[in-house]
Amino acid sequence: QVRVLIHDAKEKRRDLQEAAIRAGNSVAAGDASPLTAALEKPDEILVRIKVEHSKFSTLNNQRFGAQFMGQVANPTDILLFHRKKSSA
């Protein structure tokens, strides 16, 4: 499922970049950006999955993310665990 999310995000990013180029955005076309910061690995995307874990234990986030090294920019913090608030 995560690999599908990564693939879909890369396609969406490519589509948005192509639309920006068609609209005349010179930065999307590769011209110099007025911003001083640049991405280290612009081909990698950020993925964050929120997981509700009230009824089971969490798993090691770094071990899970190791499967996606080189595909995502944040392999060590893909999963965001939270507990459902009890309504007691």
Side-chain angles (χ1 to χ4, degrees):
Q1 296 290 355
V2 176
R3 293 191 198 290
V4 172
L5 288 172
I6 292 169
H7 181 269
D8 290 348
K10 284 184 178 183
E11 281 186 359
K12 177 136 180 130
R13 181 173 187 254
R14 188 174 28 251
D15 292 344
L16 289 172
Q17 192 169 18
E18 289 172 0
I21 290 169
R22 283 193 304 273
N25 186 330
S26 62
V27 174
D31 292 348
S33 171
L35 302 175
T36 57
L39 298 175
E40 289 180 26
K41 300 176 182 175
D43 294 333
E44 294 181 357
I45 56 166
L46 291 173
V47 176
R48 179 70 47 93
I49 302 171
K50 191 171 182 179
V51 180
E52 192 272 315
H53 70 100
S54 297
K55 295 186 169 78
F56 61 92
S57 62
T58 62
L59 52 110
N60 187 321
N61 213 358
Q62 290 179 333
R63 189 174 296 162
F64 178 80
Q67 302 173 56
F68 308 104
M69 286 291 240
Q71 297 176 23
V72 298
N74 60 330
T76 59
D77 59 348
I78 292 175
L79 300 176
L80 177 64
F81 293 104
H82 74 97
R83 290 185 187 265
K84 187 184 243 183
K85 293 182 181 180
S86 62
S87 59

